[in-house]
Amino acid sequence: MNTEFDSTADRVVIIGGGPGGYEAALVAAQLGADVMLIEQNRCGGSAVLTDVVPSKSLIATAEMMDEIERSDGLGIRIENSEDTEAGARRVTADLEAVNKRILSLADAQANDIYEGLIRAGVKAIQGKATLAGRDQVHVVESGGTEYTLEASTILLSVGAHPRELPTAQPDGERILTWTQLYDLDELPEHLIVVGSGVTGAEFASAYRALGTEVTLVSSREKVLPGQDEDAADVLEFVFRNKGMNVLSRSRAASVTRTDDGVEVVLADGRRVEGSHCLMAVGSIPNTEGLGLEEAGVRVSESGHIVVDGVSRTSRAGIYAAGDCTGVLPLASVAAMQGRIAMNHALGDAVQPLKLRNVASNVFTAPEIATVGFTQQNYRENPTDIDTVMLPLDTNPRAKMLGIEDGFVKIFARRGSGSILGGVVVGPRASELILPITMAVENRLTVDQLSASFVVYPSVSGSLTEAARKLHRHL
Protein backbone atom coordinates (compact mmCIF):
# COMPACT_ATOMS: atom_id res chain seq x y z
CA MET A 1 0.00 0.00 0.00
CA ASN A 2 1.40 3.42 -0.98
CA THR A 3 -0.02 6.65 0.41
CA GLU A 4 1.05 10.29 0.02
CA PHE A 5 0.50 12.52 3.04
CA ASP A 6 0.08 16.25 2.38
CA SER A 7 2.74 18.49 3.85
CA THR A 8 2.00 20.87 6.71
CA ALA A 9 3.74 24.07 7.68
CA ASP A 10 5.18 22.63 10.90
CA ARG A 11 5.31 18.90 10.38
CA VAL A 12 8.30 17.37 12.14
CA VAL A 13 9.34 13.83 11.25
CA ILE A 14 11.81 12.16 13.59
CA ILE A 15 13.66 8.99 12.63
CA GLY A 16 14.76 7.13 15.76
CA GLY A 17 13.16 6.95 19.19
CA GLY A 18 16.21 7.11 21.46
CA PRO A 19 16.93 10.00 23.84
CA GLY A 20 17.67 12.42 21.00
CA GLY A 21 14.49 11.46 19.17
CA TYR A 22 11.91 11.26 21.93
CA GLU A 23 13.16 14.38 23.73
CA ALA A 24 13.02 16.28 20.44
CA ALA A 25 9.50 14.98 19.83
CA LEU A 26 8.30 16.25 23.21
CA VAL A 27 9.76 19.71 22.59
CA ALA A 28 8.32 19.91 19.08
CA ALA A 29 4.88 18.85 20.31
CA GLN A 30 5.02 21.42 23.08
CA LEU A 31 5.79 24.09 20.47
CA GLY A 32 2.69 23.12 18.53
CA ALA A 33 4.15 21.11 15.66
CA ASP A 34 2.59 18.04 14.08
CA VAL A 35 5.12 15.41 15.17
CA MET A 36 5.63 11.92 13.81
CA LEU A 37 8.31 9.66 15.30
CA ILE A 38 9.38 6.45 13.55
CA GLU A 39 11.31 3.80 15.50
CA GLN A 40 12.17 0.30 14.27
CA ASN A 41 12.02 -1.31 17.69
CA ARG A 42 10.43 0.45 20.67
CA CYS A 43 10.47 3.97 22.04
CA GLY A 44 13.62 4.63 24.01
CA GLY A 45 15.83 3.00 21.40
CA SER A 46 18.97 1.07 22.28
CA ALA A 47 19.67 3.44 25.20
CA VAL A 48 16.66 2.01 27.02
CA LEU A 49 16.48 -1.52 25.62
CA THR A 50 20.08 -2.72 25.27
CA ASP A 51 22.48 -0.04 26.47
CA VAL A 52 22.18 2.62 29.19
CA VAL A 53 19.19 1.40 31.22
CA PRO A 54 20.16 -2.31 31.22
CA SER A 55 23.87 -1.72 31.84
CA LYS A 56 23.31 0.73 34.68
CA SER A 57 20.73 -1.62 36.23
CA LEU A 58 23.32 -4.40 36.15
CA ILE A 59 25.86 -2.03 37.67
CA ALA A 60 23.39 -1.11 40.44
CA THR A 61 23.27 -4.78 41.42
CA ALA A 62 27.05 -4.97 41.26
CA GLU A 63 27.31 -1.88 43.47
CA MET A 64 25.19 -3.58 46.10
CA MET A 65 27.44 -6.64 45.95
CA ASP A 66 30.48 -4.38 46.28
CA GLU A 67 29.01 -2.66 49.33
CA ILE A 68 28.37 -6.04 50.91
CA GLU A 69 32.00 -6.94 50.25
CA ARG A 70 33.14 -3.75 51.99
CA SER A 71 30.77 -4.23 54.92
CA ASP A 72 33.28 -6.40 56.78
CA GLY A 73 35.41 -3.31 57.37
CA LEU A 74 32.40 -1.65 59.02
CA GLY A 75 32.08 -4.44 61.55
CA ILE A 76 29.29 -6.33 59.75
CA ARG A 77 29.73 -10.09 59.65
CA ILE A 78 27.93 -12.33 57.16
CA GLU A 79 28.12 -15.81 58.62
CA ASN A 80 28.75 -18.80 56.41
CA SER A 81 25.82 -21.19 56.13
CA GLU A 82 26.34 -24.84 57.08
CA ASP A 83 26.42 -25.96 53.44
CA THR A 84 28.93 -23.32 52.36
CA GLU A 85 32.65 -24.03 52.30
CA ALA A 86 34.63 -22.29 55.00
CA GLY A 87 35.74 -18.81 53.94
CA ALA A 88 33.41 -18.70 50.93
CA ARG A 89 30.96 -15.87 50.42
CA ARG A 90 27.35 -16.64 51.27
CA VAL A 91 26.10 -13.74 49.16
CA THR A 92 26.01 -14.62 45.47
CA ALA A 93 24.39 -13.18 42.37
CA ASP A 94 21.62 -15.05 40.55
CA LEU A 95 22.32 -13.75 37.04
CA GLU A 96 19.10 -15.14 35.59
CA ALA A 97 17.09 -13.21 38.18
CA VAL A 98 19.29 -10.14 37.73
CA ASN A 99 18.82 -10.11 33.96
CA LYS A 100 15.09 -10.75 34.29
CA ARG A 101 14.82 -7.65 36.48
CA ILE A 102 16.99 -5.64 34.09
CA LEU A 103 14.86 -6.49 31.05
CA SER A 104 11.70 -5.80 33.04
CA LEU A 105 12.99 -2.33 33.96
CA ALA A 106 13.91 -1.63 30.34
CA ASP A 107 10.46 -2.78 29.20
CA ALA A 108 8.74 -0.54 31.74
CA GLN A 109 10.87 2.45 30.75
CA ALA A 110 10.09 1.93 27.06
CA ASN A 111 6.36 1.83 27.89
CA ASP A 112 6.62 4.99 29.98
CA ILE A 113 8.35 6.85 27.14
CA TYR A 114 5.76 5.68 24.60
CA GLU A 115 2.86 6.69 26.80
CA GLY A 116 4.46 10.07 27.47
CA LEU A 117 4.82 10.70 23.74
CA ILE A 118 1.19 9.76 23.08
CA ARG A 119 -0.04 12.04 25.87
CA ALA A 120 1.98 14.87 24.34
CA GLY A 121 0.27 14.35 20.98
CA VAL A 122 3.17 12.68 19.16
CA LYS A 123 2.30 10.05 16.56
CA ALA A 124 4.66 7.16 17.38
CA ILE A 125 5.07 4.69 14.53
CA GLN A 126 6.90 1.36 14.64
CA GLY A 127 8.72 0.81 11.40
CA LYS A 128 11.72 1.60 9.24
CA ALA A 129 12.26 5.05 7.78
CA THR A 130 14.68 6.42 5.19
CA LEU A 131 15.19 9.82 3.62
CA ALA A 132 13.52 10.19 0.24
CA GLY A 133 14.74 13.73 -0.39
CA ARG A 134 15.13 17.07 1.35
CA ASP A 135 11.62 17.07 2.83
CA GLN A 136 10.39 13.52 2.40
CA VAL A 137 10.66 10.40 4.53
CA HIS A 138 9.77 6.96 3.24
CA VAL A 139 8.19 4.74 5.91
CA VAL A 140 7.59 0.99 5.98
CA GLU A 141 5.61 0.12 9.09
CA SER A 142 6.22 -3.16 10.93
CA GLY A 143 2.87 -4.41 9.61
CA GLY A 144 3.89 -3.76 6.01
CA THR A 145 2.05 -0.50 5.34
CA GLU A 146 4.21 1.73 3.17
CA TYR A 147 3.98 5.47 2.54
CA THR A 148 5.90 8.72 2.18
CA LEU A 149 5.71 11.60 4.64
CA GLU A 150 6.30 15.22 3.73
CA ALA A 151 7.97 17.31 6.43
CA SER A 152 9.12 20.85 7.06
CA THR A 153 11.73 19.54 9.52
CA ILE A 154 13.44 16.15 9.77
CA LEU A 155 15.51 14.94 12.72
CA LEU A 156 17.81 11.92 12.41
CA SER A 157 18.50 10.15 15.69
CA VAL A 158 19.32 6.62 14.62
CA GLY A 159 22.04 5.78 17.18
CA ALA A 160 24.87 3.30 16.77
CA HIS A 161 25.60 -0.41 17.16
CA PRO A 162 28.57 -2.39 18.56
CA ARG A 163 31.60 -2.65 16.32
CA GLU A 164 32.43 -6.21 15.28
CA LEU A 165 35.88 -7.41 14.27
CA PRO A 166 36.23 -9.99 11.47
CA THR A 167 38.57 -12.06 13.65
CA ALA A 168 36.23 -11.97 16.66
CA GLN A 169 32.70 -12.48 15.42
CA PRO A 170 30.08 -12.52 18.23
CA ASP A 171 27.91 -15.63 18.39
CA GLY A 172 25.59 -14.54 21.20
CA GLU A 173 26.65 -17.47 23.39
CA ARG A 174 30.35 -17.27 24.25
CA ILE A 175 31.58 -14.30 22.21
CA LEU A 176 29.31 -11.39 23.05
CA THR A 177 28.61 -7.74 22.41
CA TRP A 178 27.27 -5.64 25.28
CA THR A 179 23.74 -5.99 23.84
CA GLN A 180 23.87 -9.79 24.23
CA LEU A 181 24.97 -10.06 27.86
CA TYR A 182 21.40 -10.02 29.16
CA ASP A 183 20.64 -13.38 27.53
CA LEU A 184 23.02 -15.16 29.94
CA ASP A 185 21.34 -17.15 32.71
CA GLU A 186 24.51 -17.97 34.65
CA LEU A 187 27.50 -15.90 35.69
CA PRO A 188 30.48 -16.47 33.40
CA GLU A 189 33.20 -18.41 35.19
CA HIS A 190 35.91 -16.29 33.54
CA LEU A 191 34.93 -13.26 31.45
CA ILE A 192 37.57 -11.80 29.13
CA VAL A 193 36.74 -8.19 28.28
CA VAL A 194 38.42 -6.89 25.13
CA GLY A 195 38.55 -3.10 25.24
CA SER A 196 39.30 -0.86 28.21
CA GLY A 197 37.23 2.18 27.25
CA VAL A 198 34.16 3.23 29.21
CA THR A 199 31.99 0.26 28.16
CA GLY A 200 34.70 -2.33 28.76
CA ALA A 201 35.70 -0.86 32.12
CA GLU A 202 32.09 -0.64 33.33
CA PHE A 203 31.26 -4.26 32.52
CA ALA A 204 34.61 -5.53 33.81
CA SER A 205 33.96 -3.71 37.09
CA ALA A 206 30.39 -4.96 37.34
CA TYR A 207 31.09 -8.63 36.63
CA ARG A 208 34.07 -8.67 38.98
CA ALA A 209 31.81 -7.33 41.75
CA LEU A 210 29.23 -10.02 40.93
CA GLY A 211 31.87 -12.68 41.55
CA THR A 212 33.16 -13.48 38.06
CA GLU A 213 36.86 -13.86 37.35
CA VAL A 214 37.67 -11.06 34.90
CA THR A 215 40.56 -10.43 32.53
CA LEU A 216 40.62 -6.98 30.95
CA VAL A 217 42.57 -6.73 27.69
CA SER A 218 43.69 -3.15 27.13
CA SER A 219 45.60 -2.03 24.05
CA ARG A 220 46.63 1.15 25.87
CA GLU A 221 49.07 1.75 28.69
CA LYS A 222 46.21 2.51 31.08
CA VAL A 223 42.52 1.70 31.32
CA LEU A 224 40.10 4.43 30.25
CA PRO A 225 42.25 6.21 27.65
CA GLY A 226 41.05 9.77 27.27
CA GLN A 227 39.79 10.03 30.86
CA ASP A 228 41.53 11.91 33.67
CA GLU A 229 44.89 10.19 34.21
CA ASP A 230 44.72 10.35 38.02
CA ALA A 231 41.25 8.84 37.90
CA ALA A 232 42.42 6.06 35.57
CA ASP A 233 45.31 5.30 37.92
CA VAL A 234 42.95 4.94 40.88
CA LEU A 235 40.58 2.73 38.95
CA GLU A 236 43.31 0.43 37.66
CA PHE A 237 44.72 0.14 41.21
CA VAL A 238 41.26 -0.83 42.48
CA PHE A 239 40.77 -3.31 39.63
CA ARG A 240 44.05 -5.07 40.38
CA ASN A 241 43.46 -4.93 44.12
CA LYS A 242 40.14 -6.73 43.63
CA GLY A 243 41.81 -9.52 41.74
CA MET A 244 41.13 -8.45 38.17
CA ASN A 245 43.78 -9.43 35.65
CA VAL A 246 44.53 -6.25 33.66
CA LEU A 247 46.64 -6.84 30.54
CA SER A 248 47.99 -3.44 29.54
CA ARG A 249 49.46 -2.70 26.10
CA SER A 250 47.90 -5.94 24.87
CA ARG A 251 45.97 -5.91 21.60
CA ALA A 252 43.60 -8.79 20.85
CA ALA A 253 44.27 -10.30 17.41
CA SER A 254 41.46 -12.88 17.41
CA VAL A 255 38.79 -14.54 19.53
CA THR A 256 37.59 -18.08 18.83
CA ARG A 257 35.33 -20.67 20.45
CA THR A 258 36.84 -23.67 22.18
CA ASP A 259 35.12 -26.84 23.38
CA ASP A 260 34.10 -25.25 26.68
CA GLY A 261 34.81 -21.54 26.30
CA VAL A 262 36.85 -19.03 24.31
CA GLU A 263 40.46 -18.36 23.43
CA VAL A 264 41.77 -14.83 22.90
CA VAL A 265 45.01 -14.61 20.95
CA LEU A 266 46.97 -11.41 21.54
CA ALA A 267 49.03 -9.64 18.90
CA ASP A 268 52.27 -10.70 20.62
CA GLY A 269 51.27 -14.37 20.48
CA ARG A 270 50.06 -14.81 24.06
CA ARG A 271 46.84 -16.76 24.55
CA VAL A 272 44.17 -16.17 27.18
CA GLU A 273 41.45 -18.75 27.84
CA GLY A 274 38.13 -18.02 29.48
CA SER A 275 34.52 -19.11 29.54
CA HIS A 276 33.16 -16.01 27.76
CA CYS A 277 34.45 -12.95 25.93
CA LEU A 278 32.88 -9.51 25.79
CA MET A 279 33.88 -7.42 22.80
CA ALA A 280 33.86 -3.73 23.75
CA VAL A 281 35.79 -2.17 20.88
CA GLY A 282 33.63 0.82 20.04
CA SER A 283 30.50 1.42 18.00
CA ILE A 284 29.43 2.25 14.46
CA PRO A 285 26.71 4.80 13.57
CA ASN A 286 23.50 3.40 12.09
CA THR A 287 23.70 5.67 9.05
CA GLU A 288 24.17 3.14 6.27
CA GLY A 289 21.11 2.82 4.04
CA LEU A 290 19.46 5.90 5.56
CA GLY A 291 19.43 7.83 2.27
CA LEU A 292 21.86 10.48 3.44
CA GLU A 293 23.75 10.79 0.16
CA GLU A 294 20.56 11.13 -1.88
CA ALA A 295 19.33 13.84 0.49
CA GLY A 296 22.64 15.73 0.40
CA VAL A 297 23.51 15.15 4.08
CA ARG A 298 27.26 15.15 4.68
CA VAL A 299 28.90 12.41 6.76
CA SER A 300 32.43 12.02 8.12
CA GLU A 301 34.86 9.27 7.12
CA SER A 302 33.62 7.24 10.11
CA GLY A 303 30.03 7.44 8.85
CA HIS A 304 28.85 9.95 11.47
CA ILE A 305 26.48 12.72 10.43
CA VAL A 306 28.22 16.11 10.53
CA VAL A 307 26.30 18.70 12.58
CA ASP A 308 26.89 22.17 13.96
CA GLY A 309 26.21 23.56 17.43
CA VAL A 310 22.44 23.65 16.92
CA SER A 311 22.29 20.14 15.39
CA ARG A 312 21.92 21.27 11.77
CA THR A 313 23.27 19.00 9.06
CA SER A 314 24.65 20.20 5.73
CA ARG A 315 21.11 20.07 4.32
CA ALA A 316 18.71 22.84 5.36
CA GLY A 317 15.74 21.55 7.34
CA ILE A 318 17.45 18.27 8.30
CA TYR A 319 18.90 17.94 11.80
CA ALA A 320 20.64 15.09 13.64
CA ALA A 321 21.21 14.13 17.26
CA GLY A 322 22.81 11.42 19.33
CA ASP A 323 25.44 8.76 18.71
CA CYS A 324 24.95 8.91 14.93
CA THR A 325 26.57 12.37 15.02
CA GLY A 326 29.72 11.37 16.89
CA VAL A 327 29.60 14.57 18.96
CA LEU A 328 29.72 12.87 22.37
CA PRO A 329 28.20 9.41 22.95
CA LEU A 330 26.09 10.27 25.99
CA ALA A 331 22.32 9.99 26.39
CA SER A 332 22.27 13.42 28.03
CA VAL A 333 24.05 14.97 25.04
CA ALA A 334 21.72 13.22 22.58
CA ALA A 335 18.70 14.57 24.46
CA MET A 336 20.13 18.08 24.53
CA GLN A 337 20.97 17.94 20.82
CA GLY A 338 17.39 16.89 20.07
CA ARG A 339 15.88 19.65 22.18
CA ILE A 340 18.20 22.28 20.67
CA ALA A 341 17.34 21.10 17.15
CA MET A 342 13.61 21.51 17.67
CA ASN A 343 13.92 24.85 19.39
CA HIS A 344 16.04 26.10 16.50
CA ALA A 345 13.85 24.64 13.77
CA LEU A 346 10.61 25.95 15.26
CA GLY A 347 11.86 29.43 16.12
CA ASP A 348 12.16 29.21 19.90
CA ALA A 349 15.05 30.66 21.91
CA VAL A 350 18.12 28.47 21.67
CA GLN A 351 21.80 28.38 22.58
CA PRO A 352 24.37 26.18 20.81
CA LEU A 353 25.52 23.02 22.54
CA LYS A 354 28.37 23.73 24.97
CA LEU A 355 30.47 20.59 25.21
CA ARG A 356 32.68 22.21 27.83
CA ASN A 357 29.75 22.16 30.26
CA VAL A 358 28.79 18.52 29.71
CA ALA A 359 29.09 16.34 32.80
CA SER A 360 29.86 12.67 32.19
CA ASN A 361 30.27 9.62 34.39
CA VAL A 362 31.95 6.24 34.16
CA PHE A 363 29.85 3.80 36.20
CA THR A 364 32.68 1.68 37.56
CA ALA A 365 33.44 1.04 41.22
CA PRO A 366 34.56 3.67 42.09
CA GLU A 367 32.68 5.94 39.71
CA ILE A 368 34.51 8.64 37.74
CA ALA A 369 32.64 11.90 37.04
CA THR A 370 34.08 14.78 35.04
CA VAL A 371 33.04 18.19 33.73
CA GLY A 372 34.78 21.04 31.96
CA PHE A 373 38.55 21.45 31.79
CA THR A 374 40.76 18.36 31.93
CA GLN A 375 44.25 17.47 33.12
CA GLN A 376 45.42 17.87 29.53
CA ASN A 377 44.06 21.44 29.45
CA TYR A 378 45.95 22.10 32.67
CA ARG A 379 49.25 20.82 31.24
CA GLU A 380 48.79 23.01 28.19
CA ASN A 381 48.05 26.12 30.30
CA PRO A 382 49.95 25.69 33.58
CA THR A 383 50.42 29.44 34.06
CA ASP A 384 46.73 30.23 33.57
CA ILE A 385 45.08 27.34 35.42
CA ASP A 386 45.51 26.09 38.95
CA THR A 387 44.31 22.80 40.36
CA VAL A 388 43.91 20.95 43.64
CA MET A 389 43.33 17.24 44.19
CA LEU A 390 41.97 16.19 47.58
CA PRO A 391 41.89 12.45 48.48
CA LEU A 392 38.55 11.26 49.85
CA ASP A 393 40.22 9.23 52.58
CA THR A 394 40.72 12.50 54.48
CA ASN A 395 36.97 13.15 54.51
CA PRO A 396 35.28 12.19 57.84
CA ARG A 397 32.07 10.97 56.20
CA ALA A 398 34.05 8.87 53.71
CA LYS A 399 35.91 7.30 56.64
CA MET A 400 32.58 6.44 58.31
CA LEU A 401 31.39 4.81 55.09
CA GLY A 402 34.61 2.86 54.61
CA ILE A 403 35.54 4.72 51.41
CA GLU A 404 39.28 4.42 50.84
CA ASP A 405 39.74 5.10 47.12
CA GLY A 406 38.85 8.32 45.36
CA PHE A 407 39.43 12.05 45.22
CA VAL A 408 38.01 15.44 44.33
CA LYS A 409 39.86 17.62 41.82
CA ILE A 410 38.99 21.18 40.79
CA PHE A 411 40.46 23.33 38.01
CA ALA A 412 40.22 27.11 38.33
CA ARG A 413 41.37 30.17 36.43
CA ARG A 414 44.38 31.68 38.14
CA GLY A 415 43.64 35.25 39.23
CA SER A 416 39.86 35.35 38.83
CA GLY A 417 39.31 32.03 40.61
CA SER A 418 36.50 31.04 38.22
CA ILE A 419 35.89 27.29 38.26
CA LEU A 420 36.72 25.70 34.90
CA GLY A 421 36.13 22.03 35.59
CA GLY A 422 36.54 19.15 37.96
CA VAL A 423 36.82 15.43 38.57
CA VAL A 424 35.22 13.32 41.29
CA VAL A 425 36.27 9.70 41.86
CA GLY A 426 34.35 7.67 44.41
CA PRO A 427 30.99 6.01 45.15
CA ARG A 428 28.11 8.04 43.64
CA ALA A 429 30.51 10.44 41.94
CA SER A 430 27.71 11.00 39.42
CA GLU A 431 25.77 12.78 42.18
CA LEU A 432 28.75 14.69 43.61
CA ILE A 433 29.74 16.26 40.30
CA LEU A 434 26.60 18.43 40.13
CA PRO A 435 27.90 21.34 42.27
CA ILE A 436 30.99 21.60 40.07
CA THR A 437 28.83 21.40 36.93
CA MET A 438 26.65 24.24 38.22
CA ALA A 439 29.77 26.25 39.04
CA VAL A 440 31.15 25.76 35.52
CA GLU A 441 27.78 26.57 33.91
CA ASN A 442 27.27 29.72 35.98
CA ARG A 443 30.93 30.82 36.09
CA LEU A 444 31.16 30.68 39.86
CA THR A 445 34.47 31.20 41.62
CA VAL A 446 36.23 28.97 44.13
CA ASP A 447 35.45 31.57 46.81
CA GLN A 448 31.74 31.36 46.04
CA LEU A 449 31.83 27.57 46.19
CA SER A 450 33.84 27.51 49.40
CA ALA A 451 31.42 29.99 51.03
CA SER A 452 28.49 27.60 50.47
CA PHE A 453 27.34 25.69 53.54
CA VAL A 454 27.63 21.91 53.42
CA VAL A 455 26.34 19.34 55.86
CA TYR A 456 28.92 18.03 58.30
CA PRO A 457 29.89 15.31 57.97
CA SER A 458 29.30 14.78 54.26
CA VAL A 459 31.37 13.60 51.32
CA SER A 460 30.36 16.80 49.49
CA GLY A 461 32.35 18.68 52.14
CA SER A 462 35.46 17.74 50.16
CA LEU A 463 34.24 20.00 47.33
CA THR A 464 34.23 23.13 49.49
CA GLU A 465 37.48 22.10 51.16
CA ALA A 466 39.17 21.75 47.76
CA ALA A 467 37.80 25.16 46.79
CA ARG A 468 39.30 26.69 49.94
CA LYS A 469 42.67 25.18 49.13
CA LEU A 470 42.49 26.67 45.65
CA HIS A 471 41.87 30.10 47.11
CA ARG A 472 45.23 29.89 48.84
CA HIS A 473 46.90 28.91 45.58
CA LEU A 474 45.41 31.64 43.41
Side-chain angles (χ1 to χ4, degrees):
M1 175 181 179
N2 284 280
T3 306
E4 289 286 341
F5 283 78
D6 292 334
S7 63
T8 59
D10 285 326
R11 168 169 286 168
V12 174
V13 176
I14 298 171
I15 303 177
Y22 71 73
E23 287 287 346
L26 293 173
V27 170
Q30 185 180 29
L31 294 175
D34 174 29
V35 187
M36 309 188 81
L37 183 149
I38 301 97
E39 164 61 44
Q40 288 191 73
N41 196 344
R42 297 178 62 195
C43 291
S46 60
V48 168
L49 299 173
T50 60
D51 195 351
V52 181
V53 171
S55 66
K56 277 41 176 184
S57 300
L58 175 71
I59 289 165
T61 300
E63 285 177 348
M64 185 63 67
M65 294 285 289
D66 192 58
E67 288 182 11
I68 294 172
E69 281 287 291
R70 291 192 293 109
S71 65
D72 188 67
L74 303 179
I76 298 174
R77 302 289 183 264
I78 300 177
E79 300 295 339
N80 294 323
S81 60
E82 295 181 359
D83 58 348
T84 302
E85 295 181 7
R89 297 190 310 176
R90 186 166 62 88
V91 180
T92 58
D94 180 346
L95 191 63
E96 184 176 9
V98 169
N99 283 341
K100 183 178 180 181
R101 173 179 178 270
I102 287 170
L103 296 178
S104 175
L105 289 172
D107 181 69
Q109 182 68 12
N111 288 337
D112 287 346
I113 292 170
Y114 174 78
E115 291 168 3
L117 290 169
I118 298 302
R119 285 195 301 270
V122 176
K123 301 174 184 68
I125 301 166
Q126 186 175 46
K128 179 176 176 59
T130 55
L131 294 176
R134 147 65 187 89
D135 54 5
Q136 291 184 322
V137 175
H138 185 70
V139 180
V140 180
E141 292 189 8
S142 57
T145 304
E146 187 174 345
Y147 49 85
T148 298
L149 294 170
E150 299 247 358
S152 58
T153 301
I154 298 171
L155 175 74
L156 309 172
S157 184
V158 293
H161 61 276
R163 182 187 301 276
E164 297 181 6
L165 303 181
T167 56
Q169 285 292 305
D171 59 14
E173 296 178 353
R174 295 285 182 173
I175 306 173
L176 309 159
T177 68
W178 62 81
T179 67
Q180 299 169 329
L181 285 169
Y182 311 106
D183 294 328
L184 298 177
D185 52 15
E186 292 183 355
L187 276 175
E189 181 180 344
H190 180 188
L191 178 65
I192 303 171
V193 179
V194 176
S196 62
V198 173
T199 300
E202 286 185 344
F203 280 112
S205 177
Y207 273 91
R208 186 68 196 99
L210 292 173
T212 294
E213 180 183 353
V214 175
T215 295
L216 180 60
V217 179
S218 172
S219 62
R220 306 296 185 89
E221 185 177 350
K222 296 181 180 181
V223 300
L224 293 177
Q227 292 288 325
D228 182 87
E229 293 177 7
D230 293 321
D233 286 340
V234 169
L235 186 64
E236 187 162 334
F237 169 80
V238 172
F239 277 1
R240 295 182 186 278
N241 198 42
K242 290 182 177 179
M244 188 184 301
N245 183 23
V246 180
L247 301 179
S248 302
R249 296 189 295 274
S250 302
R251 186 176 298 276
S254 66
V255 183
T256 55
R257 287 279 298 261
T258 62
D259 291 340
D260 57 355
V262 296
E263 181 182 67
V264 178
V265 179
L266 304 181
D268 61 7
R270 287 177 295 165
R271 299 173 184 270
V272 184
E273 294 186 350
S275 61
H276 298 75
C277 179
L278 168 64
M279 298 300 299
V281 289
S283 58
I284 297 175
N286 298 323
T287 53
E288 187 176 351
L290 193 57
L292 297 176
E293 184 176 351
E294 294 83 352
V297 176
R298 189 161 66 92
V299 298
S300 65
E301 291 184 3
S302 61
H304 291 93
I305 301 171
V306 178
V307 295
D308 63 10
V310 291
S311 305
R312 289 179 297 190
T313 69
S314 58
R315 184 71 169 178
I318 301 180
Y319 295 73
D323 290 3
C324 65
T325 67
V327 171
L328 202 58
L330 297 172
S332 59
V333 172
M336 184 63 75
Q337 285 181 292
R339 290 191 290 263
I340 289 174
M342 291 303 100
N343 285 324
H344 184 271
L346 300 174
D348 202 7
V350 64
Q351 287 187 342
L353 180 68
K354 300 176 182 177
L355 291 179
R356 179 74 73 188
N357 298 354
V358 174
S360 63
N361 193 72
V362 183
F363 289 87
T364 47
E367 292 183 6
I368 299 172
T370 58
V371 66
F373 267 49
T374 65
Q375 191 71 26
Q376 180 62 30
N377 296 136
Y378 170 68
R379 279 198 296 268
E380 293 171 354
N381 304 275
T383 59
D384 299 327
I385 304 172
D386 214 336
T387 183
V388 155
M389 187 170 77
L390 192 66
L392 283 184
D393 60 10
T394 63
N395 179 287
R397 179 65 170 166
K399 291 177 182 178
M400 297 171 193
L401 294 171
I403 299 171
E404 298 178 348
D405 302 298
F407 62 81
V408 168
K409 181 190 292 186
I410 296 178
F411 301 99
R413 180 78 66 190
R414 183 169 294 175
S416 68
S418 59
I419 296 174
L420 302 174
V423 182
V424 179
V425 179
R428 300 293 191 273
S430 50
E431 310 293 342
L432 282 173
I433 197 67
L434 179 60
I436 304 179
T437 303
M438 294 179 68
V440 172
E441 179 71 34
N442 295 284
R443 301 182 179 179
L444 301 182
T445 67
V446 291
D447 288 344
Q448 288 174 311
L449 179 58
S450 65
S452 303
F453 278 95
V454 293
V455 172
Y456 180 86
S458 67
V459 179
S460 58
S462 288
L463 298 177
T464 54
E465 184 180 351
R468 286 193 295 274
K469 288 179 178 294
L470 267 176
H471 171 76
R472 293 201 294 273
H473 284 140
L474 295 169

